Amino acid sequence: MSGTGILTQPVVRLTHHPLQRAGAFALLQLAGLDPVQRHPESLTETEFRTAWHTMTEDVVATARLRDAKAPGAFWLAASYIFWPNSKMNLSIRATLTERQRAEQIQSWRALPDAASPALPGVPCILCGQAACGFYGKVDVPLATRVGERNSTVPGHDGLALCRGCLASFYALPYGCDIRDVASVLHSWDDATLACFTARQVRYTRDRIAAKPAGQPYSREAQALRALRSCNDPLRDGVALHVFSNSNKRQFVEVYEVDQPLAEWVRSAMRSPDVREGFRYLVRAHYSPEFSGSGRLAYNIFRYPHRVPMRVADFLSQLTAEEGAPPPETEALAQLYRSLLTEAFGVARHEIDQITRLGISIGTLLKKEPGRVARGALSEFVHAQSGGEPLRAWLMRQATKLTLDASTTQPLVTTEQWRLLFEPGDRVRFNRDLLLVAVLEQLARHRWLSGTPGDRDDWDDDILIAHE
């Protein structure tokens, strides 16, 4: 508080704009601070200037480069994604001397004067503090050109931004995974966003000299590693923003992961109790075309319902190939039930009902001798893939059990029948759960065709911290 009793305004404020928020946390690290320990709104003027100077030095350094294909042209190449038509990448760039390029960039990135606002009385459209200018596409990703926007005050063009919000947008690229387009992982929980951003800024700055390889789903895999890096439980969902501000293709795509699934993924990747199961989950997503970690990450962020489906399909495929439950079965079954209850909200009593039926079916199959048992298992696996075949298979088994004078218990209860066949959005989960339960029951009694070492790990490095 100043001597006049007026509360000093923060240099940077967090706003409702996800990209500004990510950039604000990146500013902390560019000032040499720890985003996990400090909040953006605690930045002092001196620290703010340090961050601004760091960013300016990085972009001015591109003046010595002939074009974006030159060695060390990371920021020049990135400028076409974030700041098209800026002083960094003018069409006449090749005709300018290095000094002229540097002067152009420095004039573009000149730090606005805090003492004398350029637009007195005009508030920042994001945080409400005094605006330092009107800005458009050249400075703010996904905005339109200054002359085409009039969303601030009558008679003025562009977005009115304060120094803090403008600096946040300039710092945003440091918090992004930059490839052919940019992506940033966001959360409305400040502590989680701080963790994501701190990690990504280190990653980005370490890789300025070496462009990362463009593997399929690499940005999603990078986001999954960011989830793993968080020490504390996630209190909110996360969203992967994939975007480009380039003139050729300006777009944004947002892939949201709800808190239960995001926290389950974070916890599962870090927990020694389910580490083996998660490694097999990665293995289940592997194909010759795609890494297991990349494809798993892609499904988590874009098609989360495919993750449990892939577990069942993987076990079904290996069972058909080997004639018995594969060695991954027990670890995957444990992980599968955890995924359904903790991430997808399937009630525990429903899982218990289906699991109990799976144990009964497994017990029946084990009674069959040799080849007959393997054939019966194959028949069940095939029937499980469809509603009517499974219904017919269960009715045949129930009839055989009824004729067996040694038991008076029905094979399938009314509740189990309802869970397996009554229309609803979880019928597929329940049928897959039945398959997993049957295979798990058989695996426990050593219906195994090998050991876990019989196959390669198939890209499980998602479990290794890449810090």
Side-chain angles (χ1 to χ4, degrees):
M1 184 174 293
S2 68
T4 61
I6 300 174
L7 202 64
T8 303
Q9 295 290 328
V11 183
V12 177
R13 278 183 171 172
L14 288 189
T15 73
H16 60 278
H17 197 303
L19 302 187
Q20 185 272 344
R21 285 169 50 81
F25 277 99
L27 278 174
L28 284 167
Q29 199 146 343
L30 294 172
L33 307 171
D34 184 355
V36 177
Q37 301 297 326
R38 290 277 300 271
H39 193 273
E41 294 184 5
S42 72
L43 271 171
T44 66
E45 178 67 25
T46 299
E47 292 165 345
F48 177 77
R49 287 176 176 272
T50 297
W52 188 287
H53 177 71
T54 298
M55 295 188 293
T56 303
E57 279 194 326
D58 283 342
V59 293
V60 170
T62 64
R64 62 180 174 78
L65 302 170
R66 179 174 179 81
D67 55 43
K69 297 180 181 180
F74 180 88
W75 285 119
L76 182 56
S79 73
Y80 292 94
I81 299 175
F82 293 95
W83 313 299
N85 302 326
S86 69
K87 301 294 185 180
M88 287 180 68
N89 50 44
L90 293 173
S91 58
I92 60 170
R93 176 185 176 83
T95 67
L96 302 177
T97 65
E98 179 179 334
R99 181 176 179 179
Q100 288 173 324
R101 293 172 189 160
E103 289 174 347
Q104 291 269 15
I105 298 172
Q106 286 171 336
S107 67
W108 168 47
R109 286 298 187 92
L111 178 62
D113 189 351
S116 303
L119 304 172
V122 178
C124 173
I125 194 172
L126 295 181
C127 73
Q129 298 199 94
C132 63
F134 293 102
Y135 300 91
K137 178 181 173 68
V138 171
D139 302 282
V140 184
L142 308 175
T144 57
R145 289 181 295 178
V146 171
E148 294 179 353
R149 182 178 289 275
N150 185 12
S151 59
T152 53
V153 294
H156 292 284
D157 296 318
L159 295 171
L161 297 178
C162 67
R163 297 159 75 240
C165 288
L166 178 63
S168 298
F169 284 119
Y170 287 157
L172 170 65
Y174 294 87
C176 291
D177 185 34
I178 304 172
R179 299 175 191 268
D180 55 330
V181 297
S183 61
V184 63
L185 192 59
H186 177 263
S187 174
W188 292 110
D189 178 63
D190 290 355
T192 300
L193 180 57
C195 174
F196 292 160
T197 307
R199 179 185 184 280
Q200 186 59 52
V201 171
R202 292 194 301 271
Y203 184 91
T204 299
R205 299 187 82 181
D206 287 347
R207 285 157 178 76
I208 286 177
K211 186 177 180 180
Q215 298 295 323
Y217 310 146
S218 52
R219 66 174 60 88
E220 287 84 1
Q222 182 71 354
L224 208 61
R225 292 189 177 96
L227 287 180
R228 185 194 184 282
S229 71
C230 291
N231 295 322
D232 298 323
L234 303 181
R235 295 178 294 183
D236 206 334
V238 301
L240 183 64
H241 295 248
V242 182
F243 66 96
S244 174
N245 196 42
S246 73
N247 288 331
K248 293 181 179 179
R249 185 187 178 206
Q250 180 172 321
F251 78 98
V252 61
E253 297 170 351
V254 182
Y255 303 101
E256 298 182 353
V257 180
D258 292 339
Q259 186 276 336
L261 177 56
E263 172 53 23
W264 181 87
V265 170
R266 185 204 71 86
S267 177
M269 285 192 289
R270 297 174 64 93
S271 172
D273 295 338
V274 295
R275 184 179 181 86
E276 183 182 26
F278 199 91
R279 196 179 98 218
Y280 293 154
L281 180 63
V282 174
R283 177 183 290 182
H285 284 79
Y286 169 86
S287 73
E289 295 81 17
F290 305 112
S291 70
S293 56
R295 195 174 174 201
L296 170 61
Y298 182 84
N299 281 343
I300 287 172
F301 279 95
R302 303 195 185 210
Y303 305 101
H305 64 280
R306 291 182 181 176
V307 178
M309 290 169 59
R310 185 59 204 146
V311 172
D313 289 345
F314 178 68
L315 290 177
S316 175
Q317 175 187 343
L318 293 184
T319 299
E321 292 174 358
E322 301 179 7
E328 294 90 345
T329 300
E330 290 186 84
L332 267 177
Q334 177 188 356
L335 188 79
Y336 184 82
R337 286 192 295 272
S338 168
L339 175 62
L340 292 187
T341 55
E342 297 176 30
F344 287 89
V346 179
R348 170 58 65 181
H349 77 272
E350 294 184 357
I351 289 182
D352 290 343
Q353 286 281 345
I354 299 298
T355 301
R356 195 173 298 122
L357 175 58
I359 292 173
S360 298
I361 293 173
T363 301
L364 284 177
L365 294 175
K366 286 195 294 92
K367 292 180 178 179
E368 300 289 351
R371 292 183 179 179
V372 175
R374 292 184 183 274
L377 174 61
S378 177
E379 182 183 359
F380 166 73
V381 171
H382 178 74
Q384 181 271 341
S385 62
E388 287 306 314
L390 178 61
R391 188 192 304 269
W393 189 91
L394 287 173
M395 291 181 69
R396 289 197 301 272
Q397 300 305 314
T399 300
K400 290 167 64 175
L401 192 64
T402 301
L403 297 176
D404 185 349
S406 65
T407 180
T408 59
Q409 297 298 321
L411 176 63
V412 187
T413 67
T414 302
E415 175 68 5
Q416 292 165 343
W417 198 269
R418 180 187 68 79
L419 292 173
L420 290 172
F421 300 108
E422 188 173 280
D425 56 359
R426 288 180 177 166
V427 168
R428 170 65 192 266
F429 281 171
N430 291 337
R431 291 175 187 166
D432 285 350
L433 177 61
L434 178 62
L435 170 68
V436 172
V438 170
L439 297 180
E440 182 183 24
Q441 171 71 359
L442 295 175
R444 281 180 181 154
H445 292 80
R446 299 298 178 263
W447 269 46
L448 303 179
S449 59
T451 64
D454 288 348
R455 281 184 282 275
D456 293 333
D457 279 344
W458 292 350
D459 178 39
D460 64 348
D461 77 334
I462 197 76
L463 298 174
I464 300 173
H466 291 262
E467 302 300 330

